[in-house]
Amino acid sequence: MDTILVTGGTGYIGSHTVVELINEGYRVVIADNLSNSDIGVLDGIEAITGVRPGFEKIDLCDGTALREFSLRHSEIKAVIHFAASKAVGESVEEPLLYYRNNLVSLMNLLEEMQQRSVSNLVFSSSCTVYGQPDKLPVTESAPVKKAESPYGNTKKISEDIISDCIKSNSSLKSISLRYFNPIGAHPSALIGELPRGVPDNLVPFITQTASGLRKELKVFGNDYNTPDGSCIRDYINVTDLARAHVVAIKRLLENKSRENYEVFNLGTGRGVSVLEMIRTFEKVNSLKLNYSITSRRPGDIEQVWADTTLANRELGWKAESNLEETLVSAWKWEQNYRNKQK
Ligand code: WQD
């Protein structure tokens, strides 16, 4: 079976994707600098799959280290590129850090792929490229808007870099996957999201509030033009998302792509409000969350959810888990993780 390089493979979405790749029989080599993840994630992957993936601690911004790595791994047939910094707020504070980390690493990777004639790349992109879409649900052909943050801009520029490289190099093929809001954890609760410090994202903040680590969840605004006044997002189960990467890799390796550069939305196709998220979490886990309504968070868009027709049709993929089981998995992971810290 083919060997896949997974950059950022110890991260949240990366680790779940490594599990799905191994389950499908692929060999996996992870390259990760562990800047926002823990080496212990490899134990979780091994406990779930019975296989310990290859791992090398490497910063992709270091071109020399990447060259040496790729010389040692001539077996690599395709790359899934997750490694990137992803905190929106931090990217506003430190734009150069984000442009360097997210763009220099991608350029080094593309150069190395070209040198070694590795021609298949799955790229981890984001619905953030749509901003507030004019029409909902949003399709892949919706215009890409001016980014709200340096982080968002790195995703937009990365897509442009990849598509320009493909125009100049006919052997390169890539699929960019635009994620909506990934949530939840592997059902085993052996891997999950490990936010450092105070989480920015809704679901880790909910689970940390439920576990007592945070006093109160703040709902950022209930005066939006939505049915209950809170923002709407498309929350996608992380294992469903991970499965889509395996499908995309197969599509590239089997030369099934319609074009050398393709883009797919990965969401459920369903919009859920912040208040609905809280209510569902409380119900399925039989607990009460301490929360209050505060003012809007700057930069938040009002509502977005995916049109997933293209991914359903072309990839034969669709989100299978429902919100209820996903929120159960998130809470199970939080409890498991906190118990291990004690
Ligand atoms: C979801 C909703 C908040 C925290 C994320 C990523 C971003 C990009 C797109 C990847 C919003 C509300 C949140 C809290 C709240 N992904 N909220 N209280 O803003 O959609 O962005 O997806 O590229 O990088 O961050 O996700 O989880 O931060 O917020 O009320 O404490 O929850 O206002 O409506 P968002 P999120």
Side-chain angles (χ1 to χ4, degrees):
M1 201 51 149
D2 290 321
T3 301
I4 315 296
L5 166 61
V6 181
T7 76
T10 53
Y12 175 42
I13 306 170
S15 57
H16 289 79
T17 300
V18 169
V19 164
E20 297 307 311
L21 286 166
I22 293 173
N23 284 343
E24 285 293 309
Y26 289 100
R27 275 197 278 269
V28 174
V29 181
I30 295 173
D32 200 307
N33 67 0
L34 299 176
S35 62
N36 191 27
S37 60
D38 194 300
I39 191 75
V41 168
L42 297 179
D43 298 333
I45 295 172
E46 188 176 0
I48 296 168
T49 63
V51 175
R52 197 169 182 87
F55 172 85
E56 294 208 25
K57 185 172 178 215
I58 279 190
D59 190 334
L60 301 180
C61 290
D62 181 345
T64 311
L66 181 59
R67 178 135 315 158
E68 287 165 5
F69 168 88
S70 75
L71 287 170
R72 284 194 299 277
H73 291 284
S74 56
E75 75 279 16
I76 289 167
K77 290 282 180 302
V79 180
I80 308 183
H81 181 45
F82 292 106
S85 303
K86 62 171 186 180
V88 176
E90 186 185 48
S91 80
V92 176
E93 306 290 318
E94 299 208 53
L96 286 178
L97 181 74
Y98 272 66
Y99 285 114
R100 183 176 302 110
N101 275 355
N102 294 3
L103 299 180
V104 172
S105 54
L106 173 67
M107 291 188 287
N108 284 345
L109 186 66
L110 285 164
E111 261 170 9
E112 212 40 46
M113 288 176 69
Q114 190 162 354
Q115 287 289 324
R116 313 273 153 240
S117 303
V118 177
S119 47
N120 304 302
L121 174 68
V122 173
F123 178 66
S124 170
S125 189
S126 167
C127 70
T128 191
V129 300
Y130 298 121
Q132 176 62 64
D134 303 324
K135 277 195 220 132
L136 288 168
V138 61
T139 68
E140 290 81 353
S141 53
V144 165
K145 297 258 174 81
K146 187 175 174 344
E148 295 275 353
S149 68
Y151 161 76
N153 208 21
T154 66
K155 290 294 170 190
K156 175 179 176 293
I157 298 170
S158 295
E159 286 198 10
D160 289 343
I161 291 174
I162 295 168
S163 105
D164 285 344
C165 287
I166 286 171
K167 282 179 205 148
S168 78
N169 169 7
S170 57
S171 64
L172 183 64
K173 289 177 295 164
S174 179
I175 295 178
S176 281
L177 299 174
R178 291 179 178 162
Y179 315 148
F180 283 67
N181 290 54
I183 61 163
H186 192 270
S188 65
L190 291 166
I191 54 170
E193 193 169 4
L194 283 174
R196 295 238 161 114
V198 182
D200 285 327
N201 297 118
L202 179 63
V203 170
F205 210 105
I206 288 179
T207 56
Q208 290 196 7
T209 306
S211 76
L213 202 67
R214 311 277 156 218
K215 277 226 295 281
E216 183 188 58
L217 167 73
K218 294 196 174 355
V219 174
F220 298 135
N222 67 347
D223 55 352
Y224 285 98
N225 185 23
T226 59
D228 66 20
S230 65
C231 290
I232 293 177
R233 298 285 185 275
D234 184 337
Y235 295 93
I236 165 99
N237 177 285
V238 67
T239 295
D240 282 339
L241 193 68
R243 279 192 303 103
H245 293 75
V246 181
V247 178
I249 275 292
K250 266 195 194 140
R251 183 174 174 92
L252 290 172
L253 289 169
E254 293 173 2
N255 269 313
K256 299 242 170 80
S257 303
R258 283 182 194 264
E259 287 167 46
N260 285 352
Y261 182 57
E262 295 182 311
V263 174
F264 295 102
N265 283 344
L266 296 183
T268 64
R270 178 178 164 228
V272 177
S273 76
V274 176
L275 292 171
E276 278 178 83
M277 288 292 281
I278 294 172
R279 267 198 307 277
T280 309
F281 184 85
E282 289 182 327
K283 185 164 159 244
V284 297
N285 294 309
S286 309
L287 45 79
K288 280 272 158 229
L289 268 182
N290 190 23
Y291 72 91
S292 68
I293 312 285
T294 55
S295 47
R296 294 180 176 197
R297 180 171 71 176
D300 260 343
I301 57 157
E302 185 174 271
Q303 46 189 323
V304 63
W305 64 94
D307 185 321
T308 61
T309 311
L310 196 67
N312 300 160
R313 192 182 69 216
E314 290 295 318
L315 299 179
W317 168 92
K318 73 176 178 46
E320 280 167 9
S321 316
N322 61 36
L323 184 60
E324 285 74 10
E325 63 194 290
T326 304
L327 288 176
V328 166
S329 75
W331 178 226
K332 191 173 160 197
W333 159 248
E334 177 76 37
Q335 289 170 292
N336 199 27
Y337 182 67
R338 296 296 152 209
N339 284 337
K340 272 201 228 148
Q341 306 295 99
K342 279 177 194 161

